[in-house]
Amino acid sequence: MDFLETMARGIGRFRRDVFPQRRAQFEGLADAQQPKALFLTCADSRIVPSMITQTGPGELFIERNPGNIAPIYSGAAVGVSASIEYAITALKTPHVIICGHSDCGAVKGILHPDAVADMPAVARWLRYGDEARQRLAAAPSDIDEEERLRRLTELNVLVQMEHLATHPAVQQALAGGRLAIHGWVYEIETGEVRAYDPARGVFAPFPDI
Ligand SMILES: [Zn+2]
């Protein structure tokens, strides 16, 4: 079956079976949103934020791009910067989550810039991950490729958290004590989500609650 037809059937099922059961919820969301978090993650098709967090419509303001990158603030018309500014200033989201993931093509591109040289826009975008690759240089040289990617995925989340803090909207919200920034990594093959613990300096699994 053609994928467009697959989606058309899905829309039909949604309108017939799903929407009527949740009509009141959708009607309540018709005129305004008050999301609880800005969720900045990779564009990778295998990450479904509302599924892994079991949240529903209206709860997550989602920004996605290759490598879950938050560019250093420049004032330029960059989509992700506009999403950050809007979520924090207009919607007053109390949390920002930057969520990386296993087997990330963008992180592989950060590790091996030559591999993305034929995609100029991708290559330039992934320069925002250069700092993470430089920090990886401090890792032992005998770790294998898989371990290097795992560490770089975590370092990239940390670097993007730092980039986030260069945005004026974020600085104002942090100074006002109304914003918390979180770094997560999602493991595709196990479903595990690890969160950065600044006290211990490690990404640790969420407690099973
Ligand atoms: Zn990715």
Side-chain angles (χ1 to χ4, degrees):
M1 192 180 2
D2 177 69
F3 189 59
L4 200 66
E5 195 182 324
T6 303
M7 290 193 290
R9 287 174 188 271
I11 290 167
R13 280 199 307 278
F14 171 71
R15 298 200 58 207
R16 260 191 329 272
D17 305 336
V18 180
F19 186 88
Q21 294 175 15
R22 301 175 72 165
R23 182 182 297 276
Q25 183 187 12
F26 286 111
E27 286 176 354
L29 289 167
D31 299 321
Q33 61 168 331
Q34 203 170 12
K36 305 294 186 290
L38 165 60
F39 197 92
L40 200 171
T41 192
C42 186
D44 193 297
S45 62
R46 298 166 293 179
I47 306 165
V48 185
S50 58
M51 183 184 283
I52 66 176
T53 58
Q54 290 292 288
T55 52
E59 294 187 293
L60 296 180
F61 189 89
I62 301 173
E63 167 66 30
R64 309 186 69 149
N65 63 61
N68 38 270
I69 278 163
I72 295 165
Y73 186 78
S74 69
V78 179
V80 55
S81 300
S83 289
I84 291 165
E85 192 170 82
Y86 188 76
I88 292 170
T89 305
L91 302 175
K92 305 202 181 322
T93 56
H95 298 278
V96 180
I97 294 139
I98 297 187
C99 185
H101 68 101
S102 62
D103 195 49
C104 182
V107 170
K108 292 175 185 173
I110 292 169
L111 186 59
H112 303 292
D114 290 351
V116 293
D118 62 339
M119 295 180 281
V122 172
R124 285 192 69 182
W125 181 246
L126 296 183
R127 301 272 322 256
Y128 287 116
D130 280 354
E131 171 75 21
R133 185 180 60 251
Q134 285 156 15
R135 290 187 198 179
L136 185 68
S141 57
D142 60 344
I143 57 173
D144 64 15
E145 176 79 0
E146 195 181 330
E147 179 62 15
R148 286 167 68 79
L149 280 173
R150 196 190 65 76
R151 291 191 189 199
L152 186 57
T153 300
E154 294 183 351
L155 286 169
N156 182 51
V157 168
L158 297 178
V159 165
Q160 304 315 323
M161 289 167 75
E162 292 172 21
H163 290 174
L164 191 70
T166 66
H167 290 242
V170 173
Q171 290 171 349
Q172 283 172 19
L174 287 172
R178 58 177 191 276
L179 183 69
I181 299 173
H182 314 272
W184 295 0
V185 172
Y186 169 60
E187 204 77 37
I188 292 168
E189 67 271 33
T190 62
E192 183 177 79
V193 179
R194 300 192 308 277
Y196 183 65
D197 176 354
R200 289 191 289 154
V202 296
F203 283 77
F206 274 84
D208 204 6
I209 52 174

